[in-house]
Amino acid sequence: MKNRIGTNGTLLIILAGIFWGSMGIFVRGLTALAGFTSIQIVCVRLVVAAVVFLCILWWKDRSGFRIALRNIPLFLGLGLCSILFFATCYFTAIRMMTLSIAAILLYTSPIWVMLMSLLLFHEKMTGSKLLALIISFIGCVFVSGIGSGNSVVTPLGILIGLCSGFGYGLYSILGTIALRKYSTYTVTTYTFVIAAIGSLFVCSLPDLWHKITVCQSKPYLCLLILLTGIVTAVIPFLLYTLGLEHVEASRAAILATVEPMVATLIGIFIFHEYLTPLSALGILCILGAIVILNRPVREKHSYDKSDHGTS
């Protein structure tokens, strides 16, 4: 019975990664259909997700709407400095370069988490962590196409892609702190609501509304907007959260790396993108670094549990 539950949790995590990996389809679809800018796509995605998460929190636990005033800066950091910042950078990177490269650069986030943990939580730099840093750096160099005459990316694109990874990683740091005080649904709801409100101020709202009103296929556009929020935010979050009930976090993080793999396959088979052997090697390096980086985390959790059990 336990094995079956563990298997189901694993499948939920993998499914979440698959849904996240499909994000590029919706980004390019909204761009082609209505000419949305990156931040406008971020805005409609966050607004739809925020509304859905509000409904979920209302249904699950209405008491979860209560938060302390002193924790508002924490939620501002989660919504604006993490979700809004990372999403804007990631969607911009998708438009500037291939889906696979943008996704892989996003997945440097575990490296950023490690560096921030060293500074904020005073974690030790182990040999495996240092090895992960070196491998990930080499991978980024390979993925960037340096030395390739037909490189499809620019230094600015690489920088924006790395910033998306930093913002994504910041959510893990701030989220860990917030989850000590509030439920997952409260943290996620306030994070997305704040991010959605913030996006309204930077998305050129009149221009966004104009693009929606002049679109020749309004029903299809509205459906695409709704699916963008549900498929790339709401569903994968719920799947991942349910999976975490049965799968340890470190293993879940490794399983979630199917996202860049899915994004790569979508880029190749749907958008006819091409990855050079050097870029492919870079992808393997970065994914290898993520695996190495997660291994000591699993060991540390196991060690901590044994300590608590003997104290």
Side-chain angles (χ1 to χ4, degrees), residues 214-271:
V214 300
C215 180
Q216 299 297 318
S217 305
K218 289 186 184 65
Y220 178 65
L221 176 61
C222 291
L223 177 61
L224 189 58
I225 290 174
L226 181 64
L227 289 176
T228 299
I230 294 177
V231 175
T232 70
V234 178
I235 291 178
F237 167 78
L238 292 178
L239 288 173
Y240 193 81
T241 303
L242 290 172
L244 283 176
E245 295 180 5
H246 309 294
V247 178
E248 59 184 351
S250 58
R251 185 163 175 258
I254 297 174
L255 292 171
T257 58
V258 299
E259 176 185 350
M261 296 180 187
V262 171
T264 299
L265 292 175
I266 289 174
I268 293 173
F269 292 107
I270 296 182
F271 298 111

Side-chain angles (χ1 to χ4, degrees), residues 72-115:
I72 291 179
L74 178 59
F75 286 106
L76 289 174
L78 280 165
L80 301 180
C81 300
S82 177
I83 295 297
L84 182 58
F85 177 70
F86 122 72
T88 302
C89 290
Y90 182 51
F91 283 23
T92 301
I94 288 176
R95 296 184 64 183
M96 293 181 66
M97 49 193 169
T98 61
L99 284 174
S100 55
I101 293 179
I104 292 299
L105 291 175
L106 173 67
Y107 260 79
T108 60
S109 58
I111 310 301
W112 296 112
V113 171
M114 184 197 68
L115 293 175

Side-chain angles (χ1 to χ4, degrees), residues 56-69:
I56 292 175
L57 183 59
W58 180 268
W59 174 60
K60 294 288 293 185
D61 181 18
R62 297 180 185 180
S63 64
F65 284 102
R66 294 195 296 268
I67 62 173
L69 291 177

Side-chain angles (χ1 to χ4, degrees), residues 254-310:
I254 297 174
L255 292 171
T257 58
V258 299
E259 176 185 350
M261 296 180 187
V262 171
T264 299
L265 292 175
I266 289 174
I268 293 173
F269 292 107
I270 296 182
F271 298 111
H272 308 291
E273 295 176 352
Y274 174 73
L275 284 180
T276 66
L278 196 60
S279 294
L281 179 60
I283 290 174
L284 292 177
C285 286
I286 294 177
L287 290 179
I290 294 170
V291 173
I292 294 173
L293 189 61
N294 275 278
R295 288 181 60 190
V297 174
R298 181 172 63 251
E299 294 166 2
K300 184 177 186 299
H301 285 171
S302 175
Y303 177 80
D304 287 346
K305 288 179 181 178
S306 64
D307 275 356
H308 289 306
T310 58

Side-chain angles (χ1 to χ4, degrees), residues 70-79 174-175 177-179 181-182:
R70 65 177 179 275
N71 295 136
I72 291 179
L74 178 59
F75 286 106
L76 289 174
L78 280 165
L174 298 180
I177 299 173
L179 286 171
K181 307 174 183 179
Y182 301 99

